[in-house]
Amino acid sequence: MFDRGRLATLLARERATYADRNPRSAAAYARAEHLLGRTPMTWMNKTAAGFPLYLSAARGAHVTDLDGHDHADFCLGDTAAMAGHSPAPVVEAVQRRLADQGGATAMLPTEDAEIVGAELARRFGLPLWSFALTATDANRWAIRLLRAVTGRPRILVNSYCYHGSVDETLIVVGPDGRPRSRAGNVGAPVDVLTTSRVAEFNDVDGLARELAHGDVAAVLMEPALTNVGIVTPDIGYLAKARELTQRYGTYLINDETHTFSEGPGGATRAWELQPDVVTIGKSIGGGIPAAAYGVTTELADTIATRSDLDLVDAGGIGGTLAGSALSVAAMRATLTSVLTDAAFEHMISMARAFAAGVRLVLDRHGLSWSVCQLGARVDYRFVSPVPRNGTQSAAAADPELEDYLHVYLANRGVLLTPFHNMALMCPETTLDDVARHQESFNAAIKELVD
């Protein structure tokens, strides 16, 4: 397909160019002596070029780095900025809450919260909602509730799923077909094999086999895998998963944090799914920390009968800043004025154009790669056909090739999600932004294969 030696040469050239282009970012990184890993969060060291770009400004679908370079941003904060950077309705709502009304958080509810809950109910079909600050917490609190009401100890997830840093989810199917802790799991409080079960995505028989043990409180799943590259469900798989969970008395949680890209009500609404719980985070606050989980009336009634559960004080379901006045003001503005039905129509049309552009480049250069679209999100992989489960998707990774593409694009003003070749559209993404990616992507491939 291409020469690996040439790939190494091109990658070295692009990294040198990156260093030359970004002296201020390099200097800021070098000065960061009081930050663990030199970054505010250690995952910011996931970079193709040795040091991260530093943010100077961001508006809409563009960011400007510390050295003054404008970038068409298809990373969008790994979904956290799916509404675009600093959307005007959110800025106005946050300023009004902080400057005019006052009180970012006060342990008192605001009327915004009911409006947000009603809008989430309209979109996802579950009537009752509670708030968190991250999807990790929303997932963590949901599974604690479901353990409590079922009396069952285990959670089941898909191999190479992503649900934040929830301890129970860091489990994969090993090469021998047996479960094992995911490589790199940091400081697990207990062996994940004692808390969790795992099945491959799209494996109905594997899911049935694991549920048959009778000890699974909940299946926590993304309707389509996203963080290991997009893996979409086979026809009928999600319906069968729902039937199996009901057969074995297991609750089903849809984590829509990334699959929200499929439409205004995520995959749950677009694909007419019927989970017991929906969790969602990142994007619904327009950049302000926000997350939520919704439950069915039946589940809420079951919880209400449990007088032994401490849901008010220190029972483990809560957080002082969750549902704060500032957070729900941002969610209200994002959901009612930014990530609207019309906005999703535009975002999805941009994603179609992006995917078509990538396919055109691949065909032009005779590359047997694959492209997958999930609403406003597009991913291209170095294999064809598209992987059917997380293990296959992880095995298809090519870190050196991925780094080459990422740093090449960054040097020409295009940012992808650093963890994979993922591109997300926001309401202000334009065809010019899409064309900028296609032009640079074509140039990168041409240099590699010609």
Side-chain angles (χ1 to χ4, degrees), residues 28-180:
Y29 186 65
R31 288 194 301 268
E33 297 179 350
H34 297 90
L35 300 176
L36 181 63
R38 295 188 176 274
T39 56
M41 286 292 291
T42 52
W43 48 253
M44 291 180 178
N45 280 305
K46 174 61 176 170
T47 171
F51 60 90
L53 295 176
Y54 272 62
L55 176 67
S56 174
R59 285 290 185 275
H62 285 247
V63 299
T64 303
D65 65 35
L66 205 57
D67 290 276
H69 305 301
D70 171 75
H71 300 267
D73 185 13
F74 294 101
C75 172
L76 294 171
D78 194 20
T79 303
M82 191 167 78
H85 296 291
S86 298
V90 177
V91 172
E92 292 167 5
V94 169
Q95 288 178 334
R96 183 167 57 250
R97 181 72 258 175
L98 284 173
D100 300 338
Q101 297 168 299
T105 185
M107 290 199 81
L108 299 173
T110 64
E111 291 178 308
D112 285 340
E114 169 59 18
I115 293 170
V116 172
E119 178 62 11
L120 290 169
R122 181 189 75 83
R123 289 172 179 244
F124 292 97
L126 288 96
L128 298 167
W129 291 80
S130 191
F131 300 119
L133 290 178
T134 70
T136 293
D137 277 341
N139 284 321
R140 184 180 292 125
W141 298 347
I143 63 179
R144 289 184 70 141
L145 282 172
L146 298 180
R147 276 200 175 111
V149 299
T150 62
R152 295 179 177 184
R154 292 181 186 257
I155 303 300
L156 189 147
V157 297
N158 294 126
S159 190
Y160 289 96
C161 63
Y162 183 70
H163 303 286
S165 57
V166 176
D167 294 319
E168 291 89 343
T169 66
L170 297 173
I171 184 172
V172 297
V173 176
D176 59 357
R178 299 174 61 84
R180 66 176 183 179

Side-chain angles (χ1 to χ4, degrees), residues 285-368:
I288 299 297
Y293 61 96
V295 301
T296 61
T297 301
E298 292 78 10
L299 177 55
D301 290 344
T302 300
I303 294 169
T305 65
R306 295 291 299 272
S307 60
D308 59 315
L309 301 181
D310 178 6
L311 300 180
V312 175
D313 191 7
I317 310 297
T320 304
L321 294 176
S324 70
L326 184 66
S327 179
V328 295
M331 284 190 278
R332 176 180 177 176
T334 302
L335 292 170
T336 61
S337 301
V338 185
L339 289 177
T340 61
D341 290 15
F344 269 99
E345 289 180 9
H346 169 76
M347 293 155 63
I348 292 170
S349 72
M350 292 300 99
R352 290 194 193 101
F354 189 102
V358 172
R359 291 188 182 99
L360 182 64
V361 171
L362 298 181
D363 291 344
R364 178 182 298 150
H365 297 288
L367 290 176
S368 297

